[in-house]
Amino acid sequence: MRIFIYDLRDDEREYAIETAKQLHVDIEWTAEKLTLDTVDLSRGFQAVSILGHSTVDQAVLQRLKANHINFLSTRTIGYNHIDVQAAKQLGIQVANSEYAPNGVAEFTVMLMLMSIRKYKQALFRGNVNDYSLVGLQGQEMKDLTVGILGSGKIGSTVVNCLSGFGCNILVYDPYPNQMLKQKATFVDLDTLYAKSDVISLHLPLLADTYHMINDEAIARMKPGVVLINCARGGLVDIGALIKGIETKKIGALGLDVIENEEGIYHQDRRTDILRNREMAYLRQFPNVTMTQHMAFYTDAAVRSMVVTSLESLVSFMQTGDCKYTLR
Ligand code: NAD
């Protein structure tokens, strides 16, 4: 069995080699994305693995099929970069990957703590030998109510992580995860907005959740609310966030994702002129901590993405199906 891996990062290579050995498959790779220009690199292979930067549209899929490639897997959970329907019509089986929610959940808690302890400022001050305390007084988790929006894999892991801090935990989810009932109180959205000192988002970006955190939602929140977003940038209206910070309605922001981050995050753009004004403006506030969509990025998660991708392709070839088939 021969698998061609596109867009293989240096930090994935060791896991790919180790997994291929265990699965008894031959692999070759490139750092290039899968595009119409690079699709022929995988000619002669039976299956292809990609990352989320490859846009796999009908034209690319047709070319893969013409090269006798019937199996594709993405080393990501999200798969909106693949035209799954077109793949289906062409008879190409597609799978996504999986990793444990712990990395994102722990990063979320870190952003909460950094926000309530004003750590961005403390870190910046230390860099210029300013060791003063003024303006750095923080809060303790045991005194706070934390509202979690979405009780799926990541939201429920955040609740589990938080349960040791002694904070009051509220959760809103139209499909509540009953397993959390011992640790959190399920409430409606209005109650969560009105009562929470910290609000953290863990829900998917869908048509009805796009910009759900907007002026109107922020108006319903407590003065000084801390907002954390480790889910998707489009859940939040960035203009409303800026207004919230400027008026001090929002006390602090911890953002691992932001709208229009594509083409910026995960790239070195130091010498480029960036045109995302709102992002640059928001970043400069002392109480806004922004990270480059890296909550997922742990050794365990990267390994799991590589392993599940290669295992799925082998399972497709051996049994015609796999655990992560996209149907
Ligand atoms: P999940 O599918 O397991 O859970 C999502 C939950 O949201 C479900 O329980 C669902 O019922 C709930 N939900 C749907 N609509 C809702 C609404 N309007 N209000 C409240 N809850 C609602 O998803 P997950 O794996 O826990 O992922 C959560 C988010 O984290 C997703 O947006 C995902 O894209 C994002 N994510 C970010 C990173 C990162 O590195 N920052 C990594 C992985 C996932």
Short mmCIF file of all heavy atoms in Angstrom, two decimals, residues 153-187:
data_model
loop_
_atom_site.label_atom_id
_atom_site.label_comp_id
_atom_site.label_asym_id
_atom_site.label_seq_id
_atom_site.Cartn_x
_atom_site.Cartn_y
_atom_site.Cartn_z
N LYS A 153 -17.79 18.10 23.04
CA LYS A 153 -16.54 17.48 23.49
C LYS A 153 -15.65 18.48 24.24
O LYS A 153 -15.18 18.20 25.33
CB LYS A 153 -15.78 16.92 22.27
CG LYS A 153 -16.45 15.69 21.66
CD LYS A 153 -15.66 15.10 20.54
CE LYS A 153 -15.67 15.90 19.27
NZ LYS A 153 -16.97 16.01 18.59
N ILE A 154 -15.46 19.66 23.65
CA ILE A 154 -14.54 20.62 24.28
C ILE A 154 -15.22 21.32 25.46
O ILE A 154 -14.64 21.40 26.55
CB ILE A 154 -14.01 21.63 23.23
CG1 ILE A 154 -13.17 20.88 22.18
CG2 ILE A 154 -13.17 22.72 23.91
CD1 ILE A 154 -12.75 21.70 20.99
N GLY A 155 -16.45 21.80 25.26
CA GLY A 155 -17.16 22.50 26.34
C GLY A 155 -17.25 21.64 27.60
O GLY A 155 -17.00 22.12 28.72
N SER A 156 -17.56 20.34 27.42
CA SER A 156 -17.71 19.50 28.62
C SER A 156 -16.34 19.25 29.27
O SER A 156 -16.25 19.15 30.50
CB SER A 156 -18.43 18.19 28.32
OG SER A 156 -17.77 17.51 27.30
N THR A 157 -15.27 19.19 28.48
CA THR A 157 -13.93 19.02 29.06
C THR A 157 -13.53 20.29 29.82
O THR A 157 -12.87 20.21 30.87
CB THR A 157 -12.90 18.65 27.97
OG1 THR A 157 -13.42 17.56 27.21
CG2 THR A 157 -11.57 18.23 28.57
N VAL A 158 -13.93 21.45 29.31
CA VAL A 158 -13.66 22.71 30.03
C VAL A 158 -14.38 22.67 31.39
O VAL A 158 -13.79 23.02 32.42
CB VAL A 158 -14.09 23.94 29.21
CG1 VAL A 158 -13.98 25.22 30.05
CG2 VAL A 158 -13.25 24.08 27.95
N VAL A 159 -15.63 22.22 31.37
CA VAL A 159 -16.37 22.13 32.65
C VAL A 159 -15.63 21.21 33.62
O VAL A 159 -15.44 21.54 34.79
CB VAL A 159 -17.82 21.62 32.42
CG1 VAL A 159 -18.51 21.32 33.74
CG2 VAL A 159 -18.62 22.65 31.62
N ASN A 160 -15.17 20.06 33.11
CA ASN A 160 -14.43 19.13 33.99
C ASN A 160 -13.16 19.78 34.54
O ASN A 160 -12.84 19.65 35.71
CB ASN A 160 -14.08 17.84 33.23
CG ASN A 160 -15.31 16.98 33.03
OD1 ASN A 160 -16.22 16.98 33.85
ND2 ASN A 160 -15.36 16.27 31.92
N CYS A 161 -12.44 20.50 33.66
CA CYS A 161 -11.21 21.17 34.12
C CYS A 161 -11.53 22.22 35.18
O CYS A 161 -10.82 22.38 36.17
CB CYS A 161 -10.51 21.89 32.95
SG CYS A 161 -9.76 20.82 31.74
N LEU A 162 -12.62 22.96 34.96
CA LEU A 162 -12.96 24.07 35.85
C LEU A 162 -13.48 23.60 37.20
O LEU A 162 -13.43 24.35 38.18
CB LEU A 162 -14.04 24.95 35.21
CG LEU A 162 -13.63 25.85 34.05
CD1 LEU A 162 -14.85 26.59 33.52
CD2 LEU A 162 -12.54 26.83 34.48
N SER A 163 -13.98 22.36 37.24
CA SER A 163 -14.68 21.95 38.46
C SER A 163 -13.76 21.95 39.68
O SER A 163 -14.25 22.08 40.80
CB SER A 163 -15.36 20.59 38.26
OG SER A 163 -14.38 19.63 37.97
N GLY A 164 -12.45 21.85 39.46
CA GLY A 164 -11.53 21.90 40.61
C GLY A 164 -11.27 23.30 41.14
O GLY A 164 -10.72 23.44 42.23
N PHE A 165 -11.67 24.32 40.40
CA PHE A 165 -11.38 25.71 40.83
C PHE A 165 -12.40 26.25 41.83
O PHE A 165 -12.19 27.31 42.41
CB PHE A 165 -11.36 26.65 39.62
CG PHE A 165 -10.12 26.55 38.79
CD1 PHE A 165 -10.11 25.85 37.59
CD2 PHE A 165 -8.95 27.18 39.19
CE1 PHE A 165 -8.96 25.77 36.83
CE2 PHE A 165 -7.79 27.09 38.43
CZ PHE A 165 -7.79 26.38 37.25
N GLY A 166 -13.53 25.56 41.96
CA GLY A 166 -14.55 26.03 42.90
C GLY A 166 -15.39 27.17 42.37
O GLY A 166 -16.11 27.84 43.13
N CYS A 167 -15.35 27.43 41.07
CA CYS A 167 -16.21 28.50 40.52
C CYS A 167 -17.62 27.94 40.28
O CYS A 167 -17.81 26.73 40.17
CB CYS A 167 -15.62 29.05 39.22
SG CYS A 167 -15.12 27.81 38.04
N ASN A 168 -18.55 28.86 40.15
CA ASN A 168 -19.92 28.47 39.81
C ASN A 168 -19.96 28.30 38.29
O ASN A 168 -19.51 29.18 37.56
CB ASN A 168 -20.84 29.60 40.27
CG ASN A 168 -22.30 29.30 40.02
OD1 ASN A 168 -22.69 28.14 40.01
ND2 ASN A 168 -23.09 30.34 39.81
N ILE A 169 -20.45 27.16 37.80
CA ILE A 169 -20.40 26.92 36.35
C ILE A 169 -21.82 26.83 35.78
O ILE A 169 -22.63 26.01 36.23
CB ILE A 169 -19.63 25.61 36.03
CG1 ILE A 169 -18.26 25.62 36.70
CG2 ILE A 169 -19.49 25.43 34.51
CD1 ILE A 169 -17.50 24.30 36.58
N LEU A 170 -22.10 27.68 34.80
CA LEU A 170 -23.38 27.65 34.08
C LEU A 170 -23.12 27.15 32.67
O LEU A 170 -22.07 27.46 32.08
CB LEU A 170 -23.99 29.05 34.02
CG LEU A 170 -24.20 29.78 35.34
CD1 LEU A 170 -24.80 31.17 35.08
CD2 LEU A 170 -25.10 28.97 36.27
N VAL A 171 -24.07 26.41 32.12
CA VAL A 171 -23.89 25.91 30.75
C VAL A 171 -25.17 26.16 29.97
O VAL A 171 -26.28 25.96 30.49
CB VAL A 171 -23.57 24.39 30.74
CG1 VAL A 171 -23.44 23.89 29.30
CG2 VAL A 171 -22.31 24.08 31.51
N TYR A 172 -25.00 26.61 28.72
CA TYR A 172 -26.15 26.64 27.81
C TYR A 172 -25.82 25.80 26.58
O TYR A 172 -24.75 25.95 25.97
CB TYR A 172 -26.47 28.08 27.35
CG TYR A 172 -27.47 28.06 26.21
CD1 TYR A 172 -28.80 27.72 26.45
CD2 TYR A 172 -27.07 28.30 24.90
CE1 TYR A 172 -29.71 27.63 25.41
CE2 TYR A 172 -27.97 28.22 23.86
CZ TYR A 172 -29.29 27.89 24.11
OH TYR A 172 -30.19 27.79 23.09
N ASP A 173 -26.74 24.92 26.24
CA ASP A 173 -26.61 24.10 25.03
C ASP A 173 -28.03 23.64 24.68
O ASP A 173 -28.75 23.14 25.56
CB ASP A 173 -25.70 22.89 25.30
CG ASP A 173 -25.31 22.14 24.02
OD1 ASP A 173 -26.19 21.92 23.17
OD2 ASP A 173 -24.13 21.79 23.89
N PRO A 174 -28.48 23.81 23.43
CA PRO A 174 -29.82 23.30 23.08
C PRO A 174 -29.92 21.79 23.25
O PRO A 174 -31.01 21.24 23.40
CB PRO A 174 -30.00 23.71 21.61
CG PRO A 174 -28.69 24.23 21.13
CD PRO A 174 -27.82 24.49 22.31
N TYR A 175 -28.77 21.09 23.22
CA TYR A 175 -28.74 19.63 23.45
C TYR A 175 -27.79 19.36 24.61
O TYR A 175 -26.66 18.93 24.41
CB TYR A 175 -28.28 18.88 22.20
CG TYR A 175 -29.10 19.23 20.98
CD1 TYR A 175 -28.64 20.18 20.07
CD2 TYR A 175 -30.34 18.64 20.78
CE1 TYR A 175 -29.40 20.52 18.97
CE2 TYR A 175 -31.11 18.97 19.67
CZ TYR A 175 -30.63 19.92 18.78
OH TYR A 175 -31.38 20.26 17.70
N PRO A 176 -28.25 19.63 25.85
CA PRO A 176 -27.34 19.56 27.01
C PRO A 176 -26.73 18.18 27.21
O PRO A 176 -27.40 17.18 27.02
CB PRO A 176 -28.23 19.93 28.19
CG PRO A 176 -29.56 20.28 27.65
CD PRO A 176 -29.63 19.95 26.22
N ASN A 177 -25.46 18.18 27.60
CA ASN A 177 -24.76 16.94 27.92
C ASN A 177 -25.06 16.61 29.39
O ASN A 177 -24.52 17.20 30.30
CB ASN A 177 -23.26 17.18 27.71
CG ASN A 177 -22.41 15.99 28.09
OD1 ASN A 177 -22.88 15.06 28.72
ND2 ASN A 177 -21.15 16.03 27.70
N GLN A 178 -25.95 15.63 29.57
CA GLN A 178 -26.46 15.31 30.91
C GLN A 178 -25.36 14.88 31.89
O GLN A 178 -25.51 15.00 33.10
CB GLN A 178 -27.52 14.20 30.84
CG GLN A 178 -28.72 14.53 29.94
CD GLN A 178 -29.49 15.77 30.39
OE1 GLN A 178 -29.52 16.11 31.58
NE2 GLN A 178 -30.11 16.48 29.44
N MET A 179 -24.25 14.40 31.35
CA MET A 179 -23.14 13.95 32.20
C MET A 179 -22.59 15.08 33.07
O MET A 179 -21.89 14.84 34.05
CB MET A 179 -21.97 13.44 31.33
CG MET A 179 -22.34 12.42 30.30
SD MET A 179 -22.37 10.79 31.02
CE MET A 179 -20.62 10.45 31.08
N LEU A 180 -22.89 16.34 32.68
CA LEU A 180 -22.30 17.48 33.39
C LEU A 180 -23.15 17.95 34.57
O LEU A 180 -22.77 18.89 35.27
CB LEU A 180 -22.07 18.65 32.43
CG LEU A 180 -21.14 18.40 31.25
CD1 LEU A 180 -21.05 19.63 30.37
CD2 LEU A 180 -19.74 18.03 31.76
N LYS A 181 -24.30 17.32 34.75
CA LYS A 181 -25.27 17.84 35.73
C LYS A 181 -24.72 17.95 37.15
O LYS A 181 -25.14 18.82 37.91
CB LYS A 181 -26.53 16.96 35.73
CG LYS A 181 -27.43 17.27 34.55
CD LYS A 181 -28.89 17.15 34.93
CE LYS A 181 -29.75 18.02 34.04
NZ LYS A 181 -30.96 17.35 33.63
N GLN A 182 -23.76 17.08 37.50
CA GLN A 182 -23.17 17.13 38.85
C GLN A 182 -22.27 18.36 39.02
O GLN A 182 -22.06 18.83 40.12
CB GLN A 182 -22.30 15.89 39.10
CG GLN A 182 -22.99 14.57 38.92
CD GLN A 182 -23.95 14.29 40.07
OE1 GLN A 182 -23.70 14.71 41.21
NE2 GLN A 182 -25.06 13.63 39.77
N LYS A 183 -21.71 18.83 37.90
CA LYS A 183 -20.65 19.85 38.00
C LYS A 183 -21.10 21.23 37.57
O LYS A 183 -20.43 22.22 37.83
CB LYS A 183 -19.47 19.44 37.12
CG LYS A 183 -18.76 18.22 37.65
CD LYS A 183 -17.69 17.73 36.73
CE LYS A 183 -17.02 16.50 37.33
NZ LYS A 183 -16.27 15.74 36.37
N ALA A 184 -22.21 21.30 36.82
CA ALA A 184 -22.62 22.59 36.26
C ALA A 184 -24.14 22.70 36.29
O ALA A 184 -24.85 21.71 36.42
CB ALA A 184 -22.13 22.69 34.81
N THR A 185 -24.62 23.94 36.16
CA THR A 185 -26.07 24.16 36.12
C THR A 185 -26.45 24.55 34.69
O THR A 185 -25.87 25.50 34.13
CB THR A 185 -26.45 25.33 37.07
OG1 THR A 185 -25.86 25.07 38.33
CG2 THR A 185 -27.95 25.47 37.20
N PHE A 186 -27.40 23.83 34.11
CA PHE A 186 -27.86 24.21 32.77
C PHE A 186 -28.88 25.34 32.88
O PHE A 186 -29.80 25.27 33.70
CB PHE A 186 -28.47 23.00 32.06
CG PHE A 186 -27.41 22.11 31.47
CD1 PHE A 186 -26.96 21.01 32.18
CD2 PHE A 186 -26.83 22.41 30.25
CE1 PHE A 186 -25.94 20.20 31.66
CE2 PHE A 186 -25.82 21.61 29.72
CZ PHE A 186 -25.38 20.52 30.43
N VAL A 187 -28.67 26.38 32.10
CA VAL A 187 -29.54 27.56 32.15
C VAL A 187 -29.89 27.98 30.73
O VAL A 187 -29.29 27.48 29.77
CB VAL A 187 -28.84 28.75 32.87
CG1 VAL A 187 -28.63 28.47 34.34
CG2 VAL A 187 -27.52 29.11 32.19
#
